[in-house]
Amino acid sequence: MKSSTRAGEANHWRRLTSLIGLLAVLALVAAACGSDSTTAEPASDGSAEDGAGSGDSDGTSDVNDLSITYIPKQLNNPYTNVVLGGGEGGAAEAGFEGIAVVGPLDASASSQVSFINAETQAGTDVIVIAANDPDAVGPALQEARDGGAKIVAFDSDTNPDFRDVFISQVVAKDVALIQVELIAEQIGGAGQIAILSATANATNQNEWIKFIEEELASNPDYADIELVATVYGDDDDTKSFQEAQGLLQAYPDLKGIISPTTVGIAATGRYLSTSEYKGQVALTGLGLPNEMRPFVKDGTVTAFALWDPAQLGYVAAYAGRALAAGEISGAEGDTFTAGELGERTVGEGGIVIVGPPTVFNAGNIDNYDF
Amino acid sequence: MAETIGRSGQKADWVRLALSRDAIMIYAVVVAVLFASLRLERFASTLTVGFLLLDLIPVLLIAMPMTLIIITGEIDLSVASIAGLSSAMMGTLWEDGFPIWLVIVVCLAIGLIAGAVNGILIAGLGLQSLAVTIGTLALYRGLALVVIGDNAVASFPAGLTSFTTSKLGNTGIPTVMIGVMVIVIMFAVVLHLTPFGRGLYAIGSAAEAASFVGIDVARVKIKLYVWCGGISALTGIYWTLRFSSARSDNASGLELTVIAAVLLGGVSIFGGKGSITGVVAAVGLIGTITYSLRLERVSDVVLIIVTGTLLIVSVVAPRIFEVISGARHRRKLSTQLAVDRSAITTHTRSTAHRKEE
């Protein structure tokens, strides 16, 4: 009897302490989000007031107190980080007061919805999103728009019903043309060239190759250039390396190679830089500056192209600002100024093209880190 | 004995109630909600109620059968995959032109069958539930991929999808919450007010003993897994309509959130202990903390660390206190024993003394 009472007491004691333990954890959590909110507060205060303001007056009132939030497909992705870096820079330049980046850790279809909801509630003026699923984010984005937010899709489009504009990388044809232009320049406008592609059925590669072939056939400036072969390195480093080697053995008069894939151009660059063809056979295509830097420095490659992912986020910021300020509505033909990149026009279906692709050479390659 | 209970029982009853694990979880939710309302300017609004509950519903639904399963000492890791499979089936069948009611019925049936497969493998063949459901976790997700591939179906009837996210008047409470509450209450009644429910605790504490007193352990377990499959499929349907997108990767990872909530709610992973109240409160607590941190734009990296820590503390803390109070109890017992022994010695001595006289 006595011991049962004692056990009961011990039980109470245990529960009391576990209550204290739980409260301590809560306090920790509270402290964690408390300390964060002190840093985030000035921005979010502003956005809350402004959210209400822009909702009422359709975003034309106070353009100096706007907030913008980027929601990428997922956090901690190197490519995304470059895009977001450009976005944050652009947003600051465009004069946004509150700038935030939130996003899920996994790129599943529905993981972005609760982040959109939180932004709706925060009264954020501009939500910039790279949708994991064009439809799953739809209802949440609609709710955000009902609350007065402007929606800018970038990188990966949502269903057009749920956003104001879509910021797209580049036009496929521009990508093809710049590569032809570069190779023509590098081989002096005449001679044999070859293409080293990724896989034989890659949609974007084939689209570019088609445009390259058309341009070579139709443009009189390129009449002396002969495309002798198209080979496939399957975006595999070793296979691309071997294909490059094979091309030079099969075509001793080859003057240049176009490789419209980052893996292919890097592998070909590596082969050329260690062979007797270094500086003799031109190489261009689409490459990452960080991978291509040594080949540009040692003279293997003169110039190559790629879009600058940072510009994607940068243009998105200015598009968002123009929308929130009521300067554009996202209709075809609207124009806005995207900071130092100049004027951009909203095309068919609310699509804004960031391009043209950036050309990297010994003069500018050190300005890029991706 | 009766006297003791009567005397200290009066006080002990409400003290025990006020300090029970369930009550502590409820305090924690109240504290979290109060704190968020006072500290975060935008938290206290009907928008929060709506978004928060819509986010919670999948976890809350699956937590119900999961609670019962864990109380019997088993586990089901395949729940999120069953939800994904039902979502994939829903998309494919709807696209093939079947009427929506039939699609929903078929999806629920698939959930029940998937659950029955789990149940038969575990209870019928006596295999480890952990091993079986890790297998079916992969299997059902794989089937979802076979069914729908990397497609996404989004063309569900607008009336149905907007009903799923509709709210009751101006309260912000989602309409579907009524159905969810009915399910929660049903599970609470089954667990706490029926002989079947009491049998679950018996199975979790000692399965062999339970079968000796006439509980058909295998039958009970199969039943639980079938229910779990059904509720998981229902969650998959809700998920599909809420996000108006049927995809094979829907609800992936949900099983861990559910199990975390159930354990945080005081259900013992070893079976035999737990209550629906505690689990509902835990789902609310995790939801509130998650939502508050998101509202403050705290990175998800921090979020998973917080929920992870919360779970570990909730599992480890009671165990530590158990060890401490166990030690304290033993110490008291040995002191008691020493006192008793000396009393006996004194007594013997005095008797001997008396005898001498």
Side-chain angles (χ1 to χ4, degrees):
Chain A
M1 215 183 297
K2 241 184 187 173
S3 68
S4 84
T5 324
R6 209 178 294 127
E9 266 166 21
N11 221 17
H12 292 169
W13 156 250
R14 179 169 68 81
R15 289 195 160 134
L16 196 64
T17 40
S18 70
L19 171 64
I20 293 164
L22 253 177
L23 287 179
V25 172
L26 277 180
L28 264 176
V29 172
C33 79
S35 66
D36 181 87
S37 63
T38 45
T39 53
E41 209 112 315
S44 44
D45 272 358
S47 64
E49 282 155 30
D50 194 78
S54 61
D56 291 340
S57 56
D58 205 17
T60 46
S61 58
D62 188 4
V63 290
N64 296 316
D65 205 15
L66 296 169
S67 57
I68 186 168
T69 297
Y70 285 85
I71 306 181
K73 288 184 160 200
Q74 74 186 109
L75 297 178
N76 308 329
N77 169 311
Y79 174 81
T80 303
N81 288 345
V82 179
V83 176
L84 292 174
E88 283 173 301
E93 240 175 73
F96 281 98
E97 282 288 312
I99 303 166
V101 174
V102 297
L105 294 174
D106 64 311
S108 77
S110 40
S111 55
Q112 290 173 316
V113 168
S114 59
F115 292 95
I116 300 170
N117 288 344
E119 293 310 316
T120 304
Q121 213 170 340
T124 304
D125 299 293
V126 178
I127 297 175
V128 185
I129 184 167
N132 284 332
D133 179 302
D135 293 295
V137 292
L141 288 178
Q142 191 52 51
E143 234 166 323
R145 292 177 99 183
D146 293 345
K150 299 294 176 189
I151 312 298
V152 178
F154 74 145
D155 194 24
S156 168
D157 202 2
T158 68
N159 185 323
D161 295 345
F162 304 121
R163 48 89 172 146
D164 293 291
V165 292
F166 171 54
I167 312 297
S168 179
Q169 278 305 353
V170 272
V171 186
K173 194 167 180 181
D174 287 353
V175 177
L177 296 191
I178 193 125
Q179 294 179 78
V180 178
E181 215 178 290
L182 286 172
I183 200 77
E185 217 171 85
Q186 291 168 17
I187 63 173
Q192 293 184 342
I193 61 163
I195 294 175
L196 195 155
S197 176
T199 53
N201 52 8
T203 321
N204 54 355
Q205 292 282 327
N206 290 341
E207 199 178 0
W208 293 330
I209 292 171
K210 192 188 82 194
F211 282 124
I212 290 174
E213 287 169 346
E214 279 176 14
E215 181 70 8
L216 287 174
S218 64
N219 194 329
D221 290 351
Y222 306 136
D224 297 332
I225 299 175
E226 187 195 353
L227 178 61
V228 291
T230 299
V231 294
Y232 300 94
D234 293 346
D235 263 355
D236 175 277
D237 184 72
T238 312
K239 179 137 198 272
S240 303
F241 189 93
Q242 290 162 349
E243 289 291 346
Q245 210 172 346
L247 273 177
L248 290 162
Q249 281 165 0
Y251 304 95
D253 294 332
L254 200 68
K255 298 287 282 293
I257 298 173
I258 298 177
S259 183
T261 157
T262 57
V263 180
I265 193 173
T268 311
R270 219 174 59 247
Y271 172 67
L272 290 179
S273 72
T274 55
S275 74
E276 77 238 48
Y277 305 108
K278 177 178 167 183
Q280 308 297 313
V281 174
L283 171 64
T284 192
L286 304 178
L288 291 165
N290 284 352
E291 285 182 1
M292 298 305 289
R293 188 167 291 120
F295 308 128
V296 171
K297 300 264 168 171
D298 76 2
T300 310
V301 174
T302 319
F304 63 97
L306 192 66
W307 47 86
D308 178 354
Q311 290 181 354
L312 198 60
Y314 187 87
V315 173
Y318 278 95
R321 190 195 144 86
L323 282 166
E327 292 161 20
I328 62 170
S329 66
E332 187 175 349
D334 279 352
T335 58
F336 63 97
T337 308
E340 60 188 27
L341 295 179
E343 195 166 86
R344 286 291 179 278
T345 307
V346 181
E348 197 188 340
I351 295 174
V352 179
I353 301 292
V354 172
T358 308
V359 173
F360 304 94
N361 53 39
N364 71 354
I365 195 164
D366 285 332
N367 302 335
Y368 299 93
D369 182 23
F370 62 89
Chain B
M1 181 82 183
E3 182 209 29
T4 327
I5 287 171
R7 186 159 45 77
S8 65
Q10 214 90 49
K11 189 180 124 222
D13 268 355
W14 71 262
V15 171
R16 191 175 302 137
L17 205 66
L19 288 178
S20 69
R21 174 81 194 221
D22 289 358
I24 290 171
M25 285 311 299
I26 293 171
Y27 302 148
V29 176
V30 172
V31 168
V33 170
L34 279 180
F35 176 85
S37 309
L38 295 175
R39 191 72 184 74
L40 317 176
E41 52 178 327
R42 288 179 301 265
F43 187 85
S45 80
T46 51
L47 263 183
T48 303
V49 177
F51 289 149
L52 186 57
L53 290 177
L54 283 176
D55 284 355
L56 281 191
I57 286 172
V59 183
L60 190 56
L61 277 176
I62 301 184
M64 293 301 109
M66 187 68 84
T67 301
L68 271 53
I69 286 178
I70 296 184
I71 283 176
T72 64
E74 302 288 352
I75 201 155
D76 187 350
L77 295 174
S78 69
V79 286
S81 297
I82 296 178
L85 178 57
S86 97
S87 177
M89 280 306 295
M90 191 168 170
T92 309
L93 292 176
W94 172 247
E95 215 177 28
D96 288 350
F98 290 94
I100 194 72
W101 66 266
L102 183 65
V103 172
I104 290 176
V105 168
V106 170
C107 287
L108 286 174
I110 285 169
L112 294 173
I113 294 168
V117 169
N118 280 339
I120 290 165
L121 288 175
I122 292 160
L125 300 181
L127 300 172
Q128 274 281 322
S129 59
L130 192 68
V132 168
T133 58
I134 282 178
T136 51
L137 174 145
L139 173 67
Y140 297 150
R141 186 67 71 184
L143 288 178
L145 266 164
V146 169
V147 167
I148 200 166
D150 52 7
N151 290 347
V153 176
S155 58
F156 296 102
L160 203 57
T161 51
S162 61
F163 167 78
T164 313
T165 50
S166 65
K167 315 281 156 49
L168 290 168
N170 293 325
T171 57
I173 299 171
T175 317
V176 284
M177 209 49 206
I178 299 173
V180 174
M181 281 326 289
V182 169
I183 291 174
V184 169
I185 290 167
M186 272 163 45
F187 272 92
V189 167
V190 166
L191 180 63
H192 297 298
L193 299 176
T194 64
F196 179 84
R198 281 193 292 279
L200 300 184
Y201 289 101
I203 294 173
S205 304
E208 215 163 312
S211 68
F212 281 143
V213 298
I215 298 171
D216 186 343
V217 177
R219 212 184 134 96
V220 167
K221 282 184 180 172
I222 291 176
K223 216 181 252 181
L224 290 185
Y225 278 99
V226 170
W227 292 354
C228 197
I231 295 283
S232 300
L234 183 66
T235 307
I237 293 166
Y238 164 79
W239 193 288
T240 310
L241 292 176
R242 196 234 149 152
F243 298 114
S244 39
S245 181
R247 289 173 55 127
S248 61
D249 69 346
N250 270 354
S252 58
L254 187 66
E255 69 278 350
L256 294 183
T257 319
V258 170
I259 292 167
V262 169
L263 297 186
L264 181 61
V267 178
S268 166
I269 191 77
F270 305 111
K273 250 189 248 169
S275 78
I276 294 289
T277 321
V279 171
V280 172
V283 172
L285 182 64
I286 291 183
T288 308
I289 291 176
T290 309
Y291 198 81
S292 306
L293 291 177
R294 289 234 168 112
L295 212 51
E296 285 303 310
R297 302 200 182 104
V298 176
S299 164
D300 253 30
V301 180
V302 178
L303 195 64
I304 52 175
I305 293 174
V306 168
T307 34
T309 312
L310 200 63
L311 181 63
I312 293 294
V313 169
S314 78
V315 174
V316 169
R319 181 78 192 126
I320 291 174
F321 296 127
E322 232 163 67
V323 170
I324 293 174
S325 67
R328 180 189 294 266
H329 183 65
R330 269 196 304 281
R331 204 164 47 243
K332 267 192 184 170
L333 215 64
S334 60
T335 335
Q336 179 83 33
L337 227 62
V339 171
D340 287 353
R341 201 175 298 135
S342 69
I344 292 166
T345 335
T346 326
H347 178 76
T348 342
R349 208 176 292 144
S350 66
T351 336
H353 187 63
R354 224 175 286 136
K355 258 184 190 163
E356 252 172 44
E357 276 192 340

